């Protein structure tokens, strides 16, 4: 591992030198700087790892010292350093693994209330607030794409985009079913309820990556509706897009124009279709890697 890390450190130093010589070639400078920024966390951890190894070696050399107090200090430092070095090794090995090409992308997050009625909808709203605050701490932007609200502040469904470098790498593991057990505000007798909400995290996809022929979609337009079902616009600006080959349906109504709602719905549809293709590729790779008798 140390040999590989030395190569990465050498490349990092080379990038720093190249950036001082690139001149007015801004595109080349941007490419070099992106590579340098990608390597920076790993190089930083590597330097910390080397320093810890050097301190550990120095501490071990003092175990045979005649001074008892010095030996005690060395033993204490070794006890601190060994687990810290093990943790650093795990982190570095994780950083050396091949990266998901989508890791640096923006994400589309879909939260849907599951079992639990109104309490599940409130749980979905709590999850949305949690992810929004996390994004705020990371200085990412949150853009609401679609929401189906309940009358007491919950969401049957809410879809939003998180825009920020590395958003997908941080949020992709949130996909799945989330469960909460608590006494809900909707419960008068104080009983504990179990409620669920499903979260899907999809990487934003460019149009060139997923080609969707017009013949594969059906678009319906209708009037936007607010919580409780009342119409909030006189014009038909809400959009429902059905992808005919897969049956996927995407609806957007929160923007004021039909065009904006269509663009958002297509963005969500592309992300869902891309995730389906990625899952197929993952399954194919798994089958290819499996022994012949397991295929």
């Amino acid at each position: 591992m140390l040999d590989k890390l030395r190569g990465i450190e050498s490349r990092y130093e080379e990038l720093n030198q190249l950036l001082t010589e690139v001149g007015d070639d801004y595109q080349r400078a941007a490419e070099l700087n992106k590579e340098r920024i990608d390597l920076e966390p790993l190089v930083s951890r590597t330097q910390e790892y080397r320093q810890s190894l050097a301190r550990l070696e120095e501490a071990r050399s003092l175990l045979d010292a005649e001074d008892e107090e010095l030996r005690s200090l060395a033993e204490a430092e070794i006890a601190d350093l060994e687990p810290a070095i093990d943790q650093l090794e795990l982190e570095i090995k994780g950083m050396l693994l091949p990266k998901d090409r989508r890791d640096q992308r923006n994400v589309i997050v879909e939260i849907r209330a599951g079992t639990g009625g109104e309490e599940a909808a409130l749980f979905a709203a709590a999850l949305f607030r949690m992810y929004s605050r996390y994004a705020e701490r990371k200085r990412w932007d949150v853009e609401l794409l679609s929401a189906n609200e309940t009358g007491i502040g919950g969401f049957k469904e809410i879809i939003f985009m998180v825009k920020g470098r590395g958003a997908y790498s941080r949020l992709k593991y949130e996909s799945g079913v989330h469960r909460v057990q608590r006494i809900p505000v909707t419960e008068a007798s104080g009983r504990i309820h179990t409620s669920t909400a499903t979260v899907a995290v999809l990487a934003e996809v460019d149009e060139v990556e997923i080609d969707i022929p017009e013949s594969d979609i059906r678009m319906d337009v209708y009037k936007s509706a607010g919580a409780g079902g009342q119409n909030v616009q006189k014009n038909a600006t809400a959009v429902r897009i059905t992808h005919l080959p897969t049956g996927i349906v995407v609806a957007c109504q929160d923007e004021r124009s039909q065009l904006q709602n269509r663009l958002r719905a297509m963005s969500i549809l592309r992300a869902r279709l891309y995730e389906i293709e990625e899952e197929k590729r993952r399954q194919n790779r798994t089958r290819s890697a499996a022994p012949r008798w397991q295929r």
Side-chain angles (χ1 to χ4, degrees), residues 272-286:
R272 290 184 185 175
L273 292 175
Y274 189 88
E275 184 62 28
I276 290 172
E277 291 302 314
E278 277 295 303
E279 182 59 31
K280 288 180 182 177
R281 282 192 282 268
R282 282 194 291 269
Q283 290 176 357
N284 288 336
R285 285 195 297 268
T286 301

Side-chain angles (χ1 to χ4, degrees), residues 52-79 81-82:
S52 297
L53 286 176
R55 288 172 55 199
L56 180 62
E57 186 177 352
E58 183 181 358
R60 284 174 174 169
S61 70
L62 297 174
L63 290 176
D64 296 327
E66 294 182 2
D67 189 324
E68 185 177 344
E69 185 178 354
L70 195 59
R71 289 200 306 270
S72 297
L73 289 172
E75 289 170 357
E77 185 160 20
I78 289 170
L81 283 170
E82 285 181 337

